Amino acid sequence: MSTCPDVDVAMEDVRRGFGATQALKGVSLAVHTGEVYGLVGPDGAGKTTAIRLMAGLLLPDAGRVKMLGEDPANTRSPVRESLGLVPQRNTLYGDLSVDENLHFFAQLFGLSRKDFTERREQLLDITRLSRFTDRRADALSGGMYKKLALACALLHRPRVLLLDEPTNGVDPVSRRELWELLYGLVHEGMTLLVSTPYMDEAARCHRVGLLYAGELIAEGDPRELARQHGAAASNFEAVFLALVEKRTGGRAA
Ligand SMILES: Nc1ncnc2c1ncn2[C@@H]1O[C@H](COP(=O)(O)OP(=O)(O)OP(=O)(O)O)[C@@H](O)[C@H]1O
Ligand SMILES: [Mg+2]
């Protein structure tokens, strides 16, 4: 198992099934400190399952998962305080306002009033939600909702942030804004793992893991992977399809 000090998240030969479905079939990957790691793959590839395992919300059937060197499923481990998670599906209270949601999560994380006041202002500012603090969460646009979910997950200043499809259903302008916001956080020292079904987002990551039908079929610098497959870095879809074809012998491409 990787015990390198610069590996924040590690999976080694992780298997996880749900009944007859093998969601992860022996996945190994490593996310290094300070990098943006993209878990890229189509619907049903196993992205959410991998993220839930990294967050300690699921246990592997076999293999090992480490978050900052610890078992993330150990509820007594302080590592949980260093972890931020934005799940794929609705995570906010729709009938609470922007401010009430922030307040709720601050209480959950046990933030002092002073810290909350300071971070609330900062997060509202970077997510540009300051003008909407009274709006109910379920009345926000898709992009604003995602930004609020992100703000709630950042209140306790996690060292590692896991984002499950943060840009799904978000318009291109908000998508770009969200990525700018994420780069800013990484620049300040945070490690980021982000899942996405959008191949074009691979180019935004320092490294990517390509997940297909529960298997990691490639891992590396997206520019290098594109170069190896004779594709432009902006055409990651071609890289992915070539890799799938190679793996399946053309059956599923
Ligand atoms: N709780 C569960 N019970 C039964 N099957 C599940 C469960 N969670 C996931 N699966 C199955 O495991 C496989 C991987 O699902 P997962 O949600 O991890 O994929 P994903 O890559 O996140 O897909 P999407 O992009 O659609 O969110 C799928 O076949 C899915 O139906
Ligand atoms: Mg998912």
Side-chain angles (χ1 to χ4, degrees):
M1 187 76 191
S2 179
T3 48
C4 300
D6 73 329
V7 171
D8 279 3
V9 190
M11 283 187 133
E12 194 179 74
D13 203 14
V14 168
R15 293 165 194 277
R16 184 56 156 96
F18 299 97
T21 306
Q22 276 306 306
L24 294 181
K25 302 171 186 165
V27 169
S28 300
L29 59 80
V31 182
H32 299 118
T33 307
E35 79 176 348
V36 178
Y37 186 104
L39 200 55
V40 184
D43 292 352
K47 302 181 297 295
T48 296
T49 304
I51 287 179
R52 293 181 71 203
L53 283 155
M54 291 171 194
L57 299 174
L58 277 180
L59 292 174
D61 294 335
R64 286 198 291 170
V65 184
K66 292 268 174 174
M67 169 66 65
L68 297 166
E70 307 262 343
D71 174 3
N74 179 356
T75 48
R76 281 167 303 177
S77 166
V79 78
R80 294 187 149 218
E81 288 163 24
S82 306
L83 175 66
L85 169 68
V86 182
Q88 183 172 1
R89 294 192 214 292
N90 303 350
T91 50
L92 304 171
Y93 287 92
D95 55 348
L96 295 186
S97 70
V98 167
D99 236 347
E100 286 166 341
N101 268 289
L102 283 167
H103 200 252
F104 173 81
F105 282 92
Q107 283 186 325
L108 212 62
F109 295 131
L111 252 63
S112 69
R113 185 181 286 269
K114 181 174 164 290
D115 283 348
F116 175 61
T117 309
E118 189 188 304
R119 292 179 202 174
R120 170 188 171 277
E121 198 166 326
Q122 244 173 21
L123 289 165
L124 285 172
D125 189 39
I126 61 168
T127 52
R128 302 200 199 163
L129 286 170
S130 306
R131 284 191 298 126
F132 307 100
T133 49
D134 292 334
R135 192 172 292 187
R136 281 166 57 119
D138 58 10
L140 294 172
S141 71
M144 286 159 77
Y145 186 98
K146 295 270 184 184
K147 284 183 201 158
L148 177 58
L150 184 62
C152 290
L154 290 171
L155 276 165
H156 65 304
R157 300 217 168 127
R159 268 177 65 188
V160 180
L161 182 65
L162 307 175
L163 294 180
D164 199 358
E165 298 198 19
T167 60
N168 205 348
V170 175
D171 71 73
V173 174
S174 302
R175 240 167 108 178
R176 198 174 56 218
E177 275 183 13
L178 242 161
W179 273 105
E180 276 164 17
L181 200 163
L182 295 174
Y183 287 134
L185 295 164
V186 170
H187 190 68
E188 284 168 20
M190 201 180 67
T191 302
L192 175 64
L193 178 133
V194 55
S195 82
T196 178
Y198 300 128
M199 298 298 153
D200 60 317
E201 291 198 321
R204 295 186 182 272
C205 304
H206 300 136
R207 285 197 312 130
V208 289
L210 297 186
L211 204 54
Y212 178 76
E215 292 182 67
L216 204 74
I217 59 173
E219 194 184 39
D221 178 336
R223 283 150 293 269
E224 181 58 23
L225 288 173
R227 199 189 55 74
Q228 284 165 9
H229 289 83
S234 55
N235 187 9
F236 209 73
E237 198 166 318
V239 179
F240 188 81
L241 289 175
L243 283 160
V244 169
E245 198 158 327
K246 201 162 121 196
R247 175 62 71 120
T248 62
R251 289 188 307 278

